[in-house]
């Protein structure tokens, strides 16, 4: 079976940096996505990694290590509006663009 | 550019009834995927339609069925509703089925089965 693990909840302070980890054990791998989802809203695309290394996009960065089955999402200069659920999702080999999601990490940003 | 739109936004049904959810894909997108998201969980893949044909199905029973129309909009039908079908149903569209294609999600339909 496919297994994607991420912490259920995290709390951080406004202006700080937070790292959300995701580990996966899947039969085949063809890329990893991070999505942000505010309560009652659509998931929105944050990042895509298919090769090892760091992808940086403004305040958000995502890292992938395929040999370790590990990714993280790094959020810098946290803002209150960053309070949301962060979903890690894997594309499997031969699965087209079907995504297998983790349960999501609920991030709460406090003053 | 029009985003992914879903209707209705909220729906209440009783056990045993049937429901149809609708999705209009983003302009230029020919692929629609449906996901079920239970409270506190990540979305679970139901099925995908590519150019009006089913192109992959998740672990959902046959009472979950769908359609894609020539304009690439889509419907999700659920028969014989069960209490556990209560969830947020998300539609996502993409430019194609390539592995690097991003999914663009709609805001979902919140279904409550009583």
């Amino acid at each position: 079976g496919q297994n994607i693990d991420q912490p259920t909840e995290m709390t951080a302070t406004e202006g700080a940096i937070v790292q959300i980890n995701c580990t996966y054990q899947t039969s085949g791998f063809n890329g990893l996505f991070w999505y942000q989802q505010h309560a009652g809203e659509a998931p929105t695309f944050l990042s895509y990694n298919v090769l090892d290394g760091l992808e940086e996009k403004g305040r958000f960065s995502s890292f992938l290590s395929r040999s370790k089955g590990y990714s993280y999402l790094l959020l810098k200069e946290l803002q209150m509006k960053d309070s949301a659920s962060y979903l890690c999702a894997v594309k499997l080999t031969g699965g087209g663009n079907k995504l297998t999601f983790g349960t999501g990490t609920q991030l709460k940003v406090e003053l | 550019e029009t985003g992914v739109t879903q209707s209705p936004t909220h729906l209440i049904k009783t056990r045993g009834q049937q429901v149809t959810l609708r999705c209009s894909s983003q302009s230029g997108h020919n692929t629609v995927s449906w996901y079920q998201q239970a409270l506190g969980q990540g979305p679970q893949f139901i099925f995908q339609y590519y150019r009006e044909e089913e192109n992959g199905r998740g672990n959902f029973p046959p009472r979950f069925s769908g359609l894609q129309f020539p304009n690439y909009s889509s419907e999700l039908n659920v028969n014989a509703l069960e209490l556990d079908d209560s969830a947020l149903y998300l539609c996502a569209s993409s430019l194609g089925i390539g592995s690097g294609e991003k999914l663009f999600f709609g805001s979902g339909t919140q279904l409550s089965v009583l």
Side-chain angles (χ1 to χ4, degrees), chain B residues 9 15-16 28 45 47 61 63 71 90 101 107-110 114:
Chain B
T9 54
R15 196 171 43 183
F45 176 74
F47 43 57
R63 58 191 186 82
N71 67 354
L90 294 165
E101 293 292 346
S107 296
T109 294
Q110 185 65 54
L114 306 177

Side-chain angles (χ1 to χ4, degrees), chain A residues 85-100:
Chain A
S85 179
Y86 290 85
L87 299 163
C88 171
V90 171
K91 275 195 181 177
L92 304 179
T93 309
N97 63 357
K98 164 192 164 183
L99 292 178
T100 301

Side-chain angles (χ1 to χ4, degrees), chain B residues 18 41 110:
Chain B
Q18 179 266 342
Q41 301 295 314
Q110 185 65 54

Side-chain angles (χ1 to χ4, degrees), chain A residues 6-80:
Chain A
Q6 46 182 137
T8 305
E9 294 179 343
M10 297 183 72
T11 302
T13 305
E14 189 179 34
I17 299 172
V18 71
Q19 178 175 313
I20 303 175
N21 296 325
C22 172
T23 58
Y24 61 90
Q25 292 174 306
T26 57
S27 54
F29 175 84
N30 206 17
L32 188 143
F33 287 73
W34 284 95
Y35 279 82
Q36 180 193 59
Q37 187 177 27
H38 286 98
E41 297 184 11
T44 55
F45 170 81
L46 291 178
S47 69
Y48 171 58
N49 295 71
V50 65
L51 299 176
D52 291 351
L54 188 68
E55 295 281 341
E56 296 185 86
K57 191 186 295 184
R59 294 190 299 116
F60 291 45
S61 303
S62 57
F63 171 83
L64 175 67
S65 169
R66 289 171 296 170
S67 63
K68 295 181 180 177
Y70 168 70
S71 173
Y72 67 73
L73 180 69
L74 194 70
L75 292 75
K76 303 175 186 175
E77 301 170 12
L78 279 172
Q79 302 174 8
M80 298 298 287

